[in-house]
Amino acid sequence: TDIIKETNTDKIKTEKSYGNHHHVSKLSFISEQKGLSFDKIIGQLFETYIIAQNNKSFYLIDQHAAHEKILYEKQIAKQESDSIATQQLITPYTMQLSIKEVMFLEEHISLFKDIGFEVSVFGRDTILIREVPYISGKAVSPILLRKILDDVIDGGKGDDPLAKEKMAASVACHAAIKAGETLSMSEMRELLSQLEELKAPYTCPHGRPTIICISLYEIEKKFKRVQ
Amino acid sequence: TDIIKETNTDKIKTEKSYGNHHHVSKLSFISEQKGLSFDKIIGQLFETYIIAQNNKSFYLIDQHAAHEKILYEKQIAKQESDSIATQQLITPYTMQLSIKEVMFLEEHISLFKDIGFEVSVFGRDTILIREVPYISGKAVSPILLRKILDDVIDGGKGDDPLAKEKMAASVACHAAIKAGETLSMSEMRELLSQLEELKAPYTCPHGRPTIICISLYEIEKKFKRVQ
């Protein structure tokens, strides 16, 4: 009965000191790692983030930002190799625009051609869309042209050195999976396997993070499983 | 062609400044909230943590620590109401112990009786276990007695004011789900619904955290979805 130490008593007392306080602490995360690879997909959080793990880390992936970057890199590669896929519309799509927009479009019609929009001007404030880009297995809606036009007019001259990247970023942004979309396990798997292949997977074309990584060690430390 | 701003250009340039740096940042988390409730279980991380969400937060739950606390609170309540469930063994289990251990056990035999072990001393270094605690729908293995004995002898006198809590903590620790055990969705659901009901769900009986909470807002800020 004399083999007595105080260790367990200390442990039990510690609990009480936690009490009902409300406290905020910090969790470190690593935002970039070489040789990104996900071993297992756990699920979708808030219908917006994909949760995955590998043997040493835990990942949150922003589904929109990640898909945007995937489409962006593909788009740039296709523009460079002149291999943009398009689909002809059975009947041309008529779109009303402002006179200024029509003038801008007319002046930079080859840029739109480069991303897959075959357009002709039809009067002062009307255009006809005859062909649209074909992205991720389907023809995009012709109304995407208006969104891209907005982005490009808003973002700078069509013929500045960044025009190609700007067009690609705009296409990627509007064609990407949105936050709030429910994804199936196989859709998540496809997305992550494409993300693993990117040259620069950690940021979207606008520079926002696509991936948050928390190491297993960090989680274990936070739960006091390790010191 | 003159409606030109610099915003998009800035966004695209930002990407380049991220480059290939390897940087570590911090993620805040809230460790305690009133009215804990999980709306949805997403999955199991590293076969050790359960991932859940509700409409404003994201949770990591240490499956062992959480189950330990659930069993601990139940155990305390049962000890207080004298309603410990036990199961008689068909044939008594014979266990070899050191002479000191047998002396300790003999001196505190009622403490072991209180948690469900019916024991009689059978010679200088041998005991007979006739009845064992019945926890979470099954009789515990008689060898749990040795582990509890180790914890209690190591942790202080059997008759100190914390003895009851110490016994309960030891039972809970050894009977709880281990880290590394694969859990089914329904096992996770059961565990979390019991955790929601606890008086003090945020720490295990040894004072370690059971739950890490990261707010949706914090995640959105980290991904630059909000400012």
Side-chain angles (χ1 to χ4, degrees), chain B residues 10 87 194 196 204 215:
Chain B
D10 285 353
Q87 183 166 305
Q194 290 183 47
E196 287 171 349
C204 84
S215 73

Side-chain angles (χ1 to χ4, degrees), chain A residues 118-147:
Chain A
E118 176 85 54
V119 180
S120 57
V121 175
F122 187 73
R124 276 161 49 93
D125 62 355
T126 308
I127 59 163
L128 291 181
I129 303 172
R130 300 174 188 281
E131 227 171 280
V132 295
Y134 188 85
I135 296 173
S136 287
K138 62 173 193 276
V140 305
S141 162
I143 61 168
L144 184 62
L145 184 132
R146 184 191 293 278
K147 294 178 182 172

Side-chain angles (χ1 to χ4, degrees), chain A residues 1-7 9, chain B residues 104 152-158 160:
Chain A
T1 58
D2 47 358
I3 316 163
I4 290 160
K5 284 187 223 139
E6 286 302 310
T7 48
T9 315
Chain B
F104 180 91
V152 182
I153 289 180
D154 195 43
K157 278 199 173 109
D160 78 13

Side-chain angles (χ1 to χ4, degrees), chain A residues 1 3 9 15 21-22 25-29 31-32 46 53 62 69 107 153 155 212 222 225, chain B residues 1 3 9 15 21-23 25-29 31-32 46 53 62 69 107 153 155 212 222 225:
Chain A
T1 58
I3 316 163
T9 315
E15 188 191 17
H21 303 302
H22 190 101
S25 183
K26 294 279 183 181
L27 202 59
S28 302
F29 78 98
S31 69
E32 296 192 17
F46 304 123
Q53 71 173 58
D62 182 317
K69 187 56 169 277
E107 202 173 325
I153 288 179
I212 281 180
K222 193 51 74 183
R225 289 190 160 272
Chain B
T1 59
I3 315 163
T9 315
E15 187 190 17
H21 302 303
H22 190 99
H23 58 103
S25 184
K26 293 280 184 181
L27 201 58
S28 303
F29 79 96
S31 68
E32 296 192 18
F46 303 123
Q53 70 172 60
D62 183 318
K69 187 56 170 277
E107 203 172 324
I153 289 180
I212 281 181
K222 194 50 75 183
R225 287 190 162 273

